[in-house]
Amino acid sequence: MAEPAVISRVAEVGAIPGSAAQQSPAGFAAFLREELVKARQAAQLAGLQPS
């Protein structure tokens, strides 16, 4: 993400770049695990069941 063109394009599409820690493979994996927990909680609150 150090490339100015990449940073500019990320901003153009309205995305928020990840932190430096999230840009490593281990950091990204941790981020995905955290997001999965949030998604499961949201699905449970909505009463969704796996099909």
Side-chain angles (χ1 to χ4, degrees):
M1 270 307 250
E3 292 290 324
V6 174
I7 294 169
S8 175
R9 182 65 181 139
V10 167
E12 283 177 23
V13 298
I16 300 170
S19 68
Q22 290 174 333
Q23 293 179 29
S24 72
F28 186 59
F31 169 76
L32 289 178
R33 282 191 297 273
E34 293 166 6
E35 291 299 306
L36 183 57
V37 168
K38 293 177 193 176
R40 282 185 180 142
Q41 289 171 343
Q44 287 174 342
L45 287 171
L48 301 176
Q49 298 295 322
S51 55

